[in-house]
Amino acid sequence: MHIPDNYLSPATCGVMLTAMAPIWTVSVLKVKAQIKEKKETVPLIGVAAALAFLIMMFNLPIPGGTTAHAVGGTLLAVLLGPWAACLALSLTLLLQALLFGDGGILTFGANAFNMAVIMPFVGYACYQIGRRLHHEKIGLAIGAYVGINLAALTASIELGLQPLLAHSSNGTPLYCPYGLNITIPAMLLAHLLVAGWVEALFSVLVYQFIKKAAPDTLYRAPATAKSFKAFYGLLIGLIVLSPLGLLASGTAWGEWSNQELTHRLHTAAPVGMTHGVHFNALFSDYAIHGLNLPLGYILSALTAVLIFAVLMRVLQHEH
């Protein structure tokens, strides 16, 4: 679901980034007010961003040879509130793009809209309905499943509109070459059949774990949290297990390199993709030069967690 650079036209990227600007502004204002009531919000945002980062490292095999992954958007909204979850997920997506080449730089606004807005807010609304009906776990599971699938649908529409929005005079697509009739079924198939169920299961299991181990850290709990040991243990466990994400071979649908896309199309990739932005991330694909892939994967995970920890420590001192 991480749309790479050059799959969306510059105009589309500009529109999505512009749409995200007021959302991020409101998120910052909402979170500032939340911090005044519950100071634990600052370190929790760092923990949540790290948690989402690690969740997304576990790739899942999809029929047809592609992969997908869970995100944890609804879970973060339940832990932090939807506005803080929006900021945490945006931080995660930004780090993934800048340091690991997962998702594009120009498409950051689109990816944030899909995974940091659609997913947590839709999922949280479902959770709230379940909570009012005294079935919060069912609400969480449904929210997680619906949230990730709506996010996938939104991404598929953004991709599928490109042949209509950006093409040459003879109608040849300049960016993503696949229309809505292909992008929507392809994206939804992966998430309806696999990723959505994993998202729901993981969200409920982690929610149950945190509710037992650290209930006062939940969004609607009293501001008495004193220990983050449960979260730290969870993060360490996911870091150690992260190489399991390497077991699923193949590239996620719509995230191919130009070479992979050329092979799929049996012709050259669209001009806008071959002549677009090509950013070389330091640890592209979570690999570290000179290390075997599993160890590089673990160190990439650890690096991300440490970056979030340092960033939140700096922000905490400011508050």
Side-chain angles (χ1 to χ4, degrees), residues 3-202:
I3 301 175
D5 278 328
N6 307 320
Y7 271 77
L8 304 181
S9 69
T12 303
C13 293
V15 168
M16 298 308 299
L17 192 61
T18 302
M20 281 303 303
I23 297 174
W24 282 322
T25 301
V26 173
S27 295
V28 169
L29 295 175
K30 292 279 189 181
V31 170
K32 281 185 175 180
Q34 186 175 327
I35 291 171
K36 291 180 180 179
E37 297 180 6
K38 192 169 184 176
K39 294 188 180 299
E40 291 80 10
T41 299
V42 176
L44 274 174
I45 289 176
V47 169
L51 179 60
F53 183 95
L54 294 173
I55 292 172
M56 287 189 262
M57 292 186 76
F58 289 85
N59 295 311
L60 306 166
I62 301 296
T66 62
T67 60
H69 56 73
V71 176
T74 300
L75 174 65
L76 265 60
V78 172
L79 295 178
L80 300 171
W83 293 104
C86 176
L87 288 184
L89 287 162
S90 296
L91 284 173
T92 299
L93 294 168
L94 184 61
L95 183 66
Q96 287 174 327
L98 291 176
L99 195 58
F100 300 98
D102 196 3
I105 305 298
L106 296 181
T107 57
F108 173 57
N111 287 326
F113 182 78
N114 302 337
M115 287 181 273
V117 177
I118 297 293
M119 197 178 301
F121 281 93
V122 170
Y124 188 73
C126 295
Y127 165 75
Q128 283 291 81
I129 293 173
R131 189 167 172 267
R132 292 193 186 104
L133 297 174
H134 307 290
H135 292 288
E136 58 183 17
K137 291 179 184 177
I138 294 177
L140 172 60
I142 292 174
Y145 184 82
V146 172
I148 195 172
N149 277 289
L150 280 181
L153 174 62
T154 306
S156 70
I157 291 173
E158 293 161 359
L159 290 168
L161 285 176
Q162 296 311 301
L164 298 175
L165 298 175
H167 53 77
S168 63
S169 57
N170 64 0
T172 303
L174 296 176
Y175 298 97
C176 177
Y178 298 111
L180 294 169
N181 61 320
I182 295 177
T183 60
I184 291 177
M187 291 287 286
L188 283 184
L189 178 68
H191 291 83
L192 286 170
L193 295 182
V194 181
W197 296 105
V198 175
E199 177 89 3
L201 178 62
F202 184 85

Side-chain angles (χ1 to χ4, degrees), residues 34 37-41 43-44 78-80 207-231:
Q34 186 175 327
E37 297 180 6
K38 192 169 184 176
K39 294 188 180 299
E40 291 80 10
T41 299
L44 274 174
V78 172
L79 295 178
L80 300 171
Y207 175 75
Q208 287 180 314
F209 169 73
I210 292 174
K211 196 167 185 181
K212 290 180 180 179
D216 50 357
T217 60
L218 294 171
Y219 176 46
R220 295 191 171 275
T224 58
K226 297 180 180 178
S227 174
F228 283 77
K229 291 181 181 179
F231 287 105

